[in-house]
Amino acid sequence: MRQASKLFKTSLVQLQVRHLADDTSITTPEGHSIISPLDTFFRRHVGVLPSESHNLLRALDPPVQSLEELTQQVIPPQILSSRSLEVTSPQESAVSGTGASGASESQLLSRVRDIAYQNEIFRSYIGCGYAGTIVPEVIKRNVLKSPAWYTSYTPYQAEISQGRLESLLNFQTVISELTGLTISNSSLLDEPTAAAEAMIVSLNALSISKQKKGPKSFLVSDLCHPQTIAVLHSRAHAFGIKLVIGDVLKDDCALARQLGDDIFGVLVQYPDTLGGVEDFQGLSDIVHSVGGTMTVATDLLALTVLTPPGEFGADIAIGSAQRFGVPFGYGGPHAGFMACSEKHKRKIPGRLVGMSKDRLGDNAIRLALQTREQHIRREKATSNICTSQVLLANMSAFYAVYHGPQGLTLIAQRVMACARILASALRQMGLSIGKARSGNDIIFDTVAVHVGKDQAATVVGEAATKKHINLRLMDRDTVGITLDETVERKDLEDLLQVFAEFTKKTNLPDIDLLTQDIGSLSRMSSMNIPPSLQRRSSFLTHPTFNSYHSETELLRYIYHLQSKDLSLAHSMIPLGSCTMKLNGTTEMVPITWPEFASIHPFVPLSQAKGYQILITELEKDLAEITGFDRISLQPNSGAQGEFTALLVIRRFLESKPDGKKRDICLIPVSAHGTNPASAAMAGMRVVKIRCEPDTGNLDLKDLHEKCERHREELGAIMVTYPSTFGIFEPQIKDVCDMVHSYGGQVYMDGANMNAQIGLCSPGEIGADACHLNLHKTFCIPHGGGGPGVGPIGVKSHLAEFLPGHPLVATGGSEAVSPVSGAPWGSAGILPISWAYIKMMGARGLTDATKITLLNANYILSRLKGHYKILHTNNHGRCAHEFILDTREFKNSAGVEAIDVAKRLQDYGFHAPTMSWPVENTLMIEPTESESQAELDRFCDALISIRHEIKEVENGAQPKEGNVLKMAPHTQKDLLATDEWDRPYSRSRAAYPLEYLKEKKFWPTVTRLNDGKHPSRQSKILK
């Protein structure tokens, strides 16, 4: 045994030495100094180095001699780029590498720290939908920083996702009970986009006949946050919605009465953007009397002390969970939310989690109501939501679990007390404090201070200069101060000092006396809130929210849930079109630094110089990689990127003579469901384009016929490249030329960009715009279903229409309305993609793409003798992914793709993408990050499953009750009873291959039974 161990250690050392030696020749320029860093990133990111690729190249069918030969067989010569990628190297540091070779990990961290230090951390009391928060370290360390949480995928495979599903159920419970509404989804992108989604839900709540009538008016309080109102504009135009913005309570709700039957919904802010708290019961009654829907944008912390929206007539509540333990992050990512009444449960966008039963009859959690999201309805969808904000929702859920209902209420009461103390002190100094428009002086967290005509900018400037405090410029005469749980006595004293200097007061009010006037937290439950606005209903009474208040208990709960989920920490996740690659630790490190995490999105640009450097460099690199002229980082998901690009295209077309009628969008039948959903949201009519049944390529004859038929109305085509069938279509340039010749624009879906980098680019191919998935191609983790970033690249003629923002200058000169709440979307995670590009360098990025193509073709070659492969090119090659055809097994063995997917869980693998783009098939994408050993383990598992199918085909196993139909198997399933009457052994169920005896991931529930136990929305496990 000792001898075997010694041999193993020797071979391991030899492998490490070879790895280092190989990397030096691959990733550094000729003349590499012996004293240059060895902690280069490329060899850590890819599983197979180019110099090690000969084994895989020889195993291809047919074999090739080099990566270059394979690349030429995969990518058509007319598509393959002749230019070399040029990525900028990190600047202004001692980094000795070049843009070609990339920075080492230590060099990168040094450079990014230099950049971070150029961001200035002020105390930000700007508010406007964002509040300071204390992120519990136990959550930061064990959720946000844990690859077990951030590398998992959306929980479509419920049996290996019970942990985060339970956490999301906790999140839904928090939202539902605090808002007083029965249904909640498991997160949206941010508060403004949630408001836009609520507007469309309200529209679709109308009867079909009423929807067809005009006009359709949506009434919006002018006291909603300005970024929310701006995002509503980006959605309203395409749906023919007239936004009416004004004082919704003035003259006994005169605006609503005046609109009458024309109104289909109302949006109010509670508390409002100026800090006021109003009673909206009367407005709600008026809206409902004409068949409209009442939406309330609200603050979760405030709802621990204020009447829940559901109790004064709200149909929908939306908002952000950011202040529940998620830092500013210069605007995101944060979990938006939506809750609604039972009436709207079939229209609510995004994912919902609910309770079901597994094969054994045990409780099991799953995605409920909608198998996926609205976008499966394609152009008939009411939303294009795909990625949401699961990782952040889980953080907020754990925050609520950690504090519990009493802890959350104490935080709210303390914030409210600090606000009242501040307001009282400012009054003593002779300043006027704003009240709600109805005249009440309820203050939750925001104090509006009237400082005199045209004096607000002076006060804001002096607070920043002298005290490093950011205040909000509400208008020329008014300064806003939004307090939060981080505020301490010193902060209040500094705030008072700012106003004392402004008013020339020499004596500050006595904070101790003001505190005594308010009393202790235990005696301030009402805090002068009128009875009609006081919360009286209980919330979060379930034991989950009342059991884990010590760090020990919460830590164990986090790890208990984590143990139920399969992630990249366990094995490869070969999901086609999802690119589950390594999320490098060095890439992740900076996002939790205060210099990035603690910056409010609306601070002056002078305080965010580091962010601006990073954003500028990232935009430049992405433009180089894609072949475009300009980049917008604002869209905070891939589907948002699609929508944004189409908005830009439409605005460009509308600027041309007769361009307004160009609203036809051509979309292949194989396209991802978000494509037609996004087109519909942008106000375009979808026309489908057929694909050739044998090759999967676009049917050019059908394309030409549709272009000719709609020549006067053609606006754009949406095309994915490589195609969703995993093929580089040789005629893609012909497609672009044809659409351009008919006056249309070409949008390229960037979901498969991982197969293009350094070898070809959308801009060179002929696209006018595309979106990228930074959470796929550029290493932002999927987080169990979000966050994501979906920037768009455009050619110069579209650049002037890139999205703007009402509070921070960004976008083009003719900018479309913003599509997310923050100027640069989820800016807090942009350092991840920036770091990936800088460490890989141009050469590393290009080589990684070649390895991606190699890994996919290696798996294809190993499996094609066992399974049919649906589409390959004329060389028998795929791009970065391919489709495994399992349809024949339905007749031969009664086995379907879902059975193979569930059996893979027994082998320790997440299933490939199932039944898309072709029903009853599996689409496999291995990425460049997997080693040959892992690729072989996955292939061995699928080959073993094929042998199990053969046993059914030849009658050795029955068609029902076999090991595939009963998969996956839990420990309880195999061990809870001594009786065993199945046609296969326990050991075969659990350990079909030898490696599983050493490395086994156990699902915690058996297969969920859709037929007998349909899923249902549930607040929490009972």
Side-chain angles (χ1 to χ4, degrees):
M1 184 69 185
R2 289 181 180 177
Q3 182 66 22
S5 177
K6 183 178 180 181
L7 288 171
F8 171 75
K9 291 178 180 177
T10 301
S11 63
L12 181 59
V13 171
Q14 290 171 341
L15 175 62
Q16 290 171 333
V17 171
R18 180 175 57 81
H19 221 45
L20 287 169
D22 283 350
D23 181 60
T24 302
S25 64
I26 290 297
T27 62
T28 57
E30 192 174 342
H32 178 72
S33 170
I34 196 169
I35 63 172
S36 293
L38 290 176
D39 62 330
T40 51
F41 181 70
F42 175 81
R43 62 191 173 91
R44 305 302 190 187
H45 177 78
V46 299
V48 178
L49 289 174
S51 59
E52 297 175 334
S53 62
H54 52 274
N55 288 335
L56 278 71
L57 292 168
R58 286 199 299 263
L60 298 182
D61 184 13
V64 294
Q65 297 300 312
S66 67
L67 283 170
E68 286 65 33
E69 183 182 355
L70 174 64
T71 300
Q72 290 167 7
Q73 291 184 7
V74 170
I75 303 179
Q78 65 271 31
I79 302 302
L80 199 58
S81 178
S82 59
R83 71 183 180 100
S84 296
L85 197 62
E86 295 182 5
V87 172
T88 57
S89 62
Q91 302 297 315
E92 300 173 12
S93 71
V95 175
S96 58
T98 68
S101 61
S104 71
E105 295 187 57
S106 57
Q107 289 172 335
L108 187 285
L109 287 174
S110 176
R111 171 59 180 145
V112 75
R113 195 170 293 281
D114 288 342
I115 291 175
Y117 285 156
Q118 296 189 58
N119 291 327
E120 298 184 76
I121 304 175
F122 285 24
R123 288 169 286 178
S124 286
Y125 306 127
I126 298 170
C128 204
Y130 302 88
T133 184
I134 298 172
V135 185
E137 292 296 328
V138 63
I139 297 173
K140 183 193 296 183
R141 172 65 181 82
N142 298 290
V143 180
L144 179 58
K145 292 184 177 183
S146 171
W149 286 93
Y150 66 67
T151 70
S152 57
Y153 188 63
T154 307
Y156 297 133
Q157 297 292 330
E159 298 85 354
I160 52 175
S161 308
Q162 289 296 295
R164 62 190 181 283
L165 282 168
E166 181 172 330
S167 184
L168 290 174
L169 198 57
N170 291 341
F171 178 81
Q172 290 181 180
T173 303
V174 171
I175 304 305
S176 179
E177 296 197 2
L178 284 176
T179 61
L181 292 161
T182 55
I183 304 291
S184 167
N185 65 17
S186 61
S187 77
L188 291 172
L189 298 174
D190 60 15
E191 180 172 328
T193 56
E197 297 285 353
M199 178 175 67
I200 305 307
V201 171
S202 301
L203 177 64
N204 285 293
L206 297 174
S207 64
I208 298 298
S209 59
K210 197 168 184 179
Q211 284 187 44
K212 292 180 179 179
K213 287 182 179 179
K216 300 187 288 285
S217 297
F218 189 66
L219 179 59
V220 181
S221 168
D222 59 350
L223 295 182
C224 288
H225 296 312
Q227 69 271 23
T228 296
I229 296 174
V231 170
L232 289 175
H233 280 286
S234 71
R235 298 285 184 95
H237 176 70
F239 286 87
I241 295 170
K242 179 183 178 183
L243 290 180
V244 180
I245 301 167
D247 185 343
V248 296
L249 295 180
K250 184 179 180 181
D251 298 332
D252 193 24
C253 309
L255 258 181
R257 297 179 187 277
Q258 178 183 338
L259 290 168
D261 289 340
D262 289 344
I263 190 173
F264 70 85
V266 173
L267 173 68
V268 297
Q269 192 89 40
Y270 172 79
D272 64 46
T273 194
L274 301 183
V277 179
E278 301 282 13
D279 187 340
F280 291 110
Q281 182 68 62
L283 176 62
S284 174
D285 293 341
I286 293 170
V287 173
H288 290 148
S289 70
V290 295
T293 300
M294 179 80 171
T295 298
V296 177
T298 191
D299 181 314
L300 293 178
L301 193 65
L303 295 184
T304 65
V305 294
L306 298 178
T307 300
E311 294 181 13
F312 59 72
D315 302 287
I316 301 171
I318 60 97
S320 170
Q322 177 267 317
R323 74 186 306 166
F324 272 29
V326 182
F328 289 131
Y330 203 38
H334 309 128
F337 65 81
M338 179 184 291
C340 66
S341 61
E342 191 77 16
K343 173 184 176 182
H344 300 289
K345 69 181 181 181
R346 295 288 172 181
K347 297 294 186 182
I348 189 170
R351 304 174 183 123
L352 290 84
V353 173
M355 296 302 304
S356 187
K357 297 286 185 180
D358 73 355
R359 175 168 52 79
L360 299 178
D362 293 329
N363 284 328
I365 313 172
R366 63 169 303 149
L367 295 181
L369 292 179
Q370 295 144 308
T371 306
R372 284 178 65 91
E373 298 82 21
Q374 277 286 339
H375 67 69
I376 63 171
R377 301 177 64 227
R378 301 181 74 82
E379 63 271 19
K380 296 181 180 179
T382 57
S383 169
N384 70 342
I385 289 290
C386 185
T387 297
S388 53
Q389 303 285 18
V390 167
L391 183 64
L392 298 314
N394 284 330
M395 288 181 66
S396 293
F398 282 123
Y399 179 93
V401 168
Y402 198 32
H403 289 294
Q406 292 182 335
L408 293 174
T409 303
L410 285 173
I411 293 170
Q413 289 174 341
R414 182 178 177 278
V415 168
M416 202 169 182
C418 288
R420 292 187 70 85
I421 290 169
L422 180 63
S424 297
L426 292 172
R427 287 192 187 99
Q428 289 184 17
M429 296 167 67
L431 293 166
S432 174
I433 304 301
K435 295 184 177 182
R437 281 178 175 166
S438 62
N440 76 61
D441 61 352
I442 302 170
I443 294 175
F444 174 62
D445 64 353
T446 298
V447 180
V449 189
H450 301 298
V451 294
K453 184 174 178 58
D454 296 330
Q455 294 301 303
T458 300
V459 175
V460 170
E462 289 183 357
T465 302
K466 297 180 179 180
K467 292 295 183 180
H468 279 202
I469 289 175
N470 288 319
L471 304 177
R472 181 179 171 191
L473 186 67
M474 286 183 164
D475 58 40
R476 296 167 63 120
D477 310 329
T478 310
V479 172
I481 310 168
T482 297
L483 302 184
D484 54 57
E485 66 170 318
T486 69
V487 171
E488 299 180 358
R489 179 192 183 93
K490 180 65 165 58
D491 301 312
L492 292 175
E493 291 174 344
D494 286 347
L495 284 166
L496 293 179
Q497 187 65 46
V498 168
F499 287 94
E501 293 183 13
F502 172 72
T503 58
K504 304 297 190 286
K505 303 288 185 181
T506 56
N507 296 320
L508 296 181
D510 191 325
I511 290 180
D512 290 331
L513 289 177
L514 292 170
T515 302
Q516 290 174 13
D517 290 343
I518 290 177
S520 66
L521 289 178
S522 62
R523 293 188 291 107
M524 57 175 287
S525 58
S526 66
M527 194 67 86
N528 295 329
I529 303 173
S532 63
L533 293 174
Q534 280 185 40
R535 179 165 197 131
R536 301 188 182 279
S537 55
S538 60
F539 59 93
L540 305 185
T541 58
H542 190 275
T544 296
F545 298 98
N546 296 277
S547 302
Y548 307 111
H549 302 330
S550 74
E551 182 171 329
T552 299
E553 291 300 326
L554 184 68
L555 181 68
R556 289 172 181 165
Y557 183 54
I558 289 171
Y559 272 78
H560 170 64
L561 297 188
Q562 173 184 306
S563 69
K564 299 181 178 186
D565 289 6
L566 185 143
S567 70
L568 284 176
H570 299 94
S571 58
M572 68 183 287
I573 300 180
L575 284 154
S577 195
C578 296
T579 315
M580 298 292 290
K581 62 165 68 176
L582 171 73
N583 313 120
T585 305
T586 297
E587 299 159 1
M588 298 293 295
V589 164
I591 68 170
T592 57
W593 293 350
E595 292 83 3
F596 287 118
S598 300
I599 308 297
H600 191 287
F602 303 147
V603 301
L605 293 181
S606 60
Q607 294 177 27
K609 291 179 181 177
Y611 261 117
Q612 293 307 309
I613 291 170
L614 189 144
I615 286 168
T616 299
E617 290 187 6
L618 180 57
E619 288 178 345
K620 182 177 180 181
D621 288 340
L622 293 178
E624 165 68 13
I625 288 167
T626 58
F628 288 114
D629 299 303
R630 286 282 304 278
I631 300 289
S632 170
L633 295 167
Q634 190 178 105
N636 48 10
S637 80
Q640 283 290 87
E642 297 174 16
F643 171 63
T644 307
L646 292 177
L647 283 183
V648 168
I649 286 173
R650 287 220 69 189
R651 182 64 63 84
F652 165 75
L653 293 172
E654 290 170 355
S655 71
K656 305 298 178 183
D658 299 323
K660 290 186 177 181
K661 65 182 182 181
R662 289 191 171 273
D663 64 348
I664 292 290
C665 188
L666 306 175
I667 301 180
V669 294
S670 61
H672 193 278
T674 55
N675 282 188
S678 296
M681 286 174 53
M684 304 190 83
R685 293 177 292 156
V686 175
V687 173
K688 298 176 184 178
I689 305 297
R690 292 195 298 265
C691 294
E692 296 173 351
D694 296 332
T695 65
N697 294 338
L698 274 177
D699 185 330
L700 292 189
K701 181 180 178 181
D702 187 54
L703 175 63
H704 183 266
E705 289 177 356
K706 300 292 174 57
C707 286
E708 184 63 30
R709 184 185 309 169
H710 301 288
R711 60 184 306 131
E712 302 299 326
E713 305 160 299
L714 179 58
I717 186 171
M718 300 182 79
V719 60
T720 303
Y721 202 73
S723 75
T724 54
F725 294 122
I727 304 295
F728 281 95
E729 297 186 44
Q731 296 171 307
I732 185 64
K733 287 190 174 181
D734 295 335
V735 171
C736 296
D737 291 343
M738 186 185 303
V739 172
H740 285 146
S741 71
Y742 281 91
Q745 295 285 289
V746 177
Y747 161 85
M748 186 170 285
D749 188 308
N752 293 342
M753 192 69 199
N754 209 49
Q756 288 197 49
I757 299 179
L759 302 179
C760 59
S761 70
E764 289 181 283
I765 290 169
D768 300 287
C770 85
H771 90 275
L772 301 170
N773 290 320
L774 299 192
H775 50 290
K776 295 182 181 181
T777 312
F778 295 95
C779 292
I780 289 175
H782 282 69
V789 178
I792 64 168
V794 297
K795 288 292 191 180
S796 58
H797 64 281
L798 298 177
E800 62 183 304
F801 305 105
L802 290 174
H805 195 275
L807 300 177
V808 180
T810 187
S813 58
E814 300 294 326
V816 300
S817 296
V819 294
S820 65
W824 288 278
S826 293
I829 52 177
L830 294 180
I832 300 170
S833 297
W834 176 88
Y836 171 67
I837 293 171
K838 298 306 182 188
M839 288 192 293
M840 291 292 280
R843 188 182 309 171
L845 290 169
T846 304
D847 283 349
T849 308
K850 295 176 183 177
I851 297 299
T852 295
L853 304 181
L854 173 61
N855 287 352
N857 280 279
Y858 175 73
I859 295 179
L860 183 153
S861 296
R862 280 209 62 192
L863 295 181
K864 73 178 187 178
H866 305 275
Y867 296 86
K868 289 182 179 178
I869 308 300
L870 189 56
H871 294 300
T872 57
N873 67 11
N874 58 349
H875 293 287
R877 306 300 190 196
C878 65
H880 65 306
E881 62 189 5
F882 65 93
I883 298 173
L884 204 70
D885 193 348
T886 57
R887 290 175 293 181
E888 64 177 319
F889 304 140
K890 184 173 183 179
N891 291 328
S892 67
V895 171
E896 300 184 61
I898 191 171
D899 301 313
V900 178
K902 301 305 180 185
R903 181 57 171 153
L904 271 170
Q905 295 177 15
D906 288 331
Y907 287 82
F909 286 104
H910 192 290
T913 300
M914 190 171 62
S915 290
W916 186 82
V918 178
E919 187 73 20
N920 202 15
T921 63
L922 298 170
M923 185 162 62
I924 297 170
E925 179 187 356
T927 84
E928 71 274 16
S929 295
E930 303 301 339
S931 66
Q932 182 177 352
E934 185 71 355
L935 300 178
D936 283 335
R937 197 166 69 93
F938 176 67
C939 291
D940 291 343
L942 278 173
I943 292 169
S944 178
I945 289 172
R946 180 65 183 98
H947 292 322
E948 293 171 350
I949 296 172
K950 283 184 179 179
E951 290 184 359
V952 180
E953 290 173 326
N954 63 28
Q957 288 285 314
K959 284 193 173 183
E960 296 297 330
N962 59 61
V963 73
L964 291 106
K965 289 293 184 181
M966 300 296 281
H969 300 81
T970 63
Q971 291 174 314
K972 176 183 177 181
D973 186 27
L974 300 179
L975 302 175
T977 177
D978 292 333
E979 298 179 5
W980 188 260
D981 59 358
R982 300 180 197 175
Y984 55 91
S985 66
R986 287 184 172 97
S987 63
R988 186 169 190 191
Y991 306 114
L993 290 176
E994 193 67 21
Y995 73 82
L996 291 163
K997 295 178 181 178
E998 180 181 354
K999 185 180 181 182
K1000 174 72 176 177
F1001 178 88
W1002 288 96
T1004 54
V1005 297
T1006 56
R1007 193 184 305 195
L1008 274 67
N1009 189 320
D1010 294 333
K1012 293 182 180 179
H1013 305 288
S1015 58
R1016 62 191 184 277
Q1017 167 75 9
S1018 179
K1019 287 183 180 179
I1020 202 166
L1021 188 65
K1022 300 298 183 185

